[in-house]
Amino acid sequence: MRLSKEFLLAVACALPLAVLAQTYPGKPVRVVIPYPPGSTPDIVGRTLSGKLQESLGQPFIVDNRTGAGGNIGAEAVAKAPADGHTLLIGINGPAAINKFLYKNLGYDSDRDLLPVSLLASAPQMLVVTPAVRADSFREFIEHAKSNPGRLSYGSVGAGTA
């Protein structure tokens, strides 16, 4: 039996319809958060996961994969099967900034990650001890420049706020 080109083309065009007929999610969803518990992405991811689990009836399992400015978690998602059952809750580091900061990421953010939605925006703050006499960011920068090596800071990693 020989199949016509038209028939094969029609079958190829109809294949996406079979995918649309499937219910999502068909199994538990892993939600990778590439930052530590208690961080802003973690709070957003855990809140969203709980609501999605209630709404869609499948477990949404939070998996904190910290380190390397979000690259460890992003790489885990990039290498997971592309079936929509592994999600990344992240900030702009792993998706946009880190490709300029790290020589060997282990993933290509432009090719391996697909943005789905903006979930939240959060203000950032710079806070200092009252011993640092700075009432503005400009004054803080002046203080830092005039006191090299005397200030320390905490951060989630390179490429993050």
Side-chain angles (χ1 to χ4, degrees), residues 50-74:
K51 296 293 184 185
L52 288 172
Q53 183 168 314
E54 286 174 23
S55 174
L56 298 175
Q58 279 286 356
F60 278 69
I61 302 160
V62 173
D63 181 5
N64 291 88
R65 292 281 184 103
T66 64
N71 293 336
I72 293 171

Side-chain angles (χ1 to χ4, degrees), residues 16-133:
L17 297 176
V19 172
L20 291 175
Q22 296 176 4
T23 58
Y24 176 86
K27 61 182 181 179
V29 177
R30 188 172 97 184
V31 180
V32 177
I33 302 171
Y35 301 103
S39 64
T40 301
D42 181 68
I43 293 166
V44 170
R46 286 179 188 280
T47 302
L48 177 67
S49 294
K51 296 293 184 185
L52 288 172
Q53 183 168 314
E54 286 174 23
S55 174
L56 298 175
Q58 279 286 356
F60 278 69
I61 302 160
V62 173
D63 181 5
N64 291 88
R65 292 281 184 103
T66 64
N71 293 336
I72 293 171
E75 183 175 357
V77 172
K79 292 184 176 178
D83 61 2
H85 288 83
T86 305
L87 305 175
L88 176 68
I89 304 291
I91 57 176
N92 52 1
I97 295 172
N98 292 356
K99 64 184 173 183
F100 301 107
L101 296 178
Y102 296 89
K103 195 172 191 173
N104 298 309
L105 284 180
Y107 67 97
D108 180 331
S109 60
D110 295 327
R111 182 192 67 224
D112 299 332
L113 301 175
L114 178 66
V116 175
S117 177
L118 174 64
L119 298 177
S121 61
Q124 301 294 313
M125 294 185 296
L126 175 66
V127 295
V128 297
T129 176
V132 174
R133 304 222 187 270

